[in-house]
Amino acid sequence: MESISCFAAALSAFAVGAVTGKFLIPFLRKIKFGQTIKEIGPTWHKNKQGTPNMGGFIFIIGSVVGILLGYLIYRAGTDSAVADPIGGVKLFAGLGMALGCGFIGFLDDYIKDVKKQNLGLRAKQKLILQLVVAVAYLAAIYLAGDTSTVVILPFIGQLDLGIFYYILAILFILFISNAVNLTDGIDGLAGSVTFIVCLAVLVMSGILQISGMGIYAAALAGGLLGFLIYNFYPAKVFMGDTGSMFLGGSVLAFGFGLNLPVLILAFGIIYVVEALSVILQVISFKTTGKRIFKMSPIHHHFEMCGWSEKKIVGVFSLVTVLGCAVSVIAVLNI
């Protein structure tokens, strides 16, 4: 029944996403919700000015439909007496976290595209909203009965962090949600990387027998595939912060839902590298006046080195495959 629910989740999410794109993209173009290209970006990105933004709604809508359908099918074929209530809470709390992050991204896009304020939400405003989402998610799974403060470190062992678990978890949620957001900078990159992550999570959820995360991963994979039809180079639509923030929340939901948030550092290696490239660039410039990279996040550095967008997406996707392989091996050895 789990395989059927995952298949239904993926197929329905893909279909809904693909159809949504057919109507959403012309609508976004009509109301002039177009991408505003920052002056500090690569000069050749100027020809993308006006490309419809907020296309993340394509896979958000598809994923939500897929998750609901997949979960209904799963519950219909599962004895309620043996159903995992915490697993269900983690599924929908994770989806809630992703939608909360997506709403923050939507506010950011709205301010940039409608209000024509290129910087969007202020950093402090975004941080406060993300903090609220992080605390709400952790509170939801805690109240559902997941009170463990033990972190599983694959190949190493377990570490009980006590009260510090929640502090570190909040900081980790803030870091990863922003890291995924930074990965969305060229056509097809964030979508392709996260699609591969979804496939890995689907495999890991099967190994660990955590059905809820398998349904979520399958639905998001289907939704992203429906979106990538329109987002591969040259992109007809961008996901915007609406989409990238939703993906950040989803990646976090995967990690915590599998009870292995530390594995995000492996299967989400590209997100981590993108974020670290920005942090190192800022530290270097403020302390020495010199830049480590030609431009950050690091995908722009490779653009400045002459790599095509297709090449960057291909190489970064391959690195993600390797990170996901390490994650699957880690799960097999727990």
Side-chain angles (χ1 to χ4, degrees):
M1 183 56 66
E2 181 179 350
S3 59
I4 295 175
S5 59
C6 287
F7 179 76
L11 184 61
S12 58
F14 170 75
V16 170
V19 172
T20 298
K22 283 286 187 181
F23 295 96
L24 182 62
I25 295 173
F27 175 72
L28 291 173
R29 189 176 289 115
K30 181 179 180 180
I31 62 177
K32 298 182 179 180
F33 269 28
Q35 177 72 42
T36 301
I37 304 300
K38 295 180 181 179
E39 295 294 331
I40 59 174
T43 56
W44 53 88
H45 279 204
K46 286 295 182 181
N47 60 8
K48 300 183 181 185
Q49 183 85 20
T51 300
N53 203 15
M54 298 193 200
F57 280 115
I58 293 173
F59 57 79
I60 292 174
I61 296 171
S63 297
V64 170
V65 171
I67 289 170
L68 293 176
L69 178 61
Y71 188 72
L72 286 174
I73 293 174
Y74 170 73
R75 286 306 300 265
T78 304
D79 185 348
S80 59
V82 299
D84 178 14
I86 295 181
V89 170
K90 281 196 169 183
L91 167 60
F92 289 105
L95 178 59
M97 174 166 59
L99 290 171
C101 289
F103 178 70
I104 296 170
F106 170 76
L107 292 178
D108 204 31
D109 285 335
Y110 183 83
I111 292 172
K112 287 185 290 188
D113 298 339
V114 179
K115 299 295 184 181
K116 302 303 179 183
Q117 298 176 23
N118 203 19
L119 296 179
L121 283 172
R122 296 177 183 176
K124 182 182 293 186
Q125 294 172 322
K126 185 180 291 187
L127 183 62
I128 291 173
L129 291 171
Q130 289 175 319
L131 184 61
V132 170
V133 170
V135 171
Y137 171 74
L138 293 173
I141 61 175
Y142 179 87
L143 293 173
D146 186 358
T147 59
S148 174
T149 56
V150 174
V151 174
I152 300 173
L153 303 172
F155 308 115
I156 299 176
Q158 298 183 355
L159 179 63
D160 192 342
L161 297 175
I163 189 64
F164 294 104
Y165 172 85
Y166 296 101
I167 297 173
L168 293 174
I170 289 172
L171 294 175
F172 190 65
I173 289 172
L174 296 178
F175 173 74
I176 294 297
S177 60
N178 285 298
V180 177
N181 187 30
L182 290 170
T183 306
D184 178 39
I186 60 177
D187 298 0
L189 179 58
S192 297
V193 167
T194 309
F195 174 76
I196 295 169
V197 167
C198 289
L199 297 183
V201 172
L202 188 57
V203 172
M204 290 186 284
S205 66
I207 295 171
L208 297 171
Q209 296 185 330
I210 302 177
S211 303
M213 287 302 104
I215 293 170
Y216 194 152
L220 184 56
L224 281 171
L225 200 57
F227 169 73
L228 286 169
I229 294 174
Y230 309 104
N231 186 242
F232 276 130
Y233 182 87
K236 299 179 180 66
V237 68
F238 299 137
M239 68 173 64
D241 285 353
T242 304
S244 61
M245 293 294 289
F246 176 85
L247 292 184
S250 296
V251 168
L252 286 159
F254 293 154
F256 283 95
L258 294 173
N259 301 313
L260 290 165
V262 71
L263 277 188
I264 295 177
L265 300 177
F267 64 70
I269 182 64
I270 288 298
Y271 312 133
V272 175
V273 170
E274 293 274 19
L276 290 179
S277 70
V278 173
I279 293 171
L280 292 174
Q281 185 87 323
V282 171
I283 292 174
S284 177
F285 186 74
K286 288 192 173 182
T287 56
T288 68
K290 297 181 179 179
R291 293 181 172 85
I292 299 174
F293 308 103
K294 293 183 178 181
M295 186 177 290
S296 66
I298 199 168
H299 58 259
H300 287 321
H301 168 80
F302 288 112
E303 273 194 288
M304 300 294 282
C305 289
W307 287 26
S308 69
E309 293 190 42
K310 290 182 179 179
K311 181 177 180 179
I312 294 170
V313 172
V315 172
F316 280 35
S317 295
L318 179 58
V319 172
T320 300
V321 169
L322 297 176
C324 288
V326 170
S327 298
V328 172
I329 292 171
V331 168
L332 288 170
N333 284 274
I334 290 177

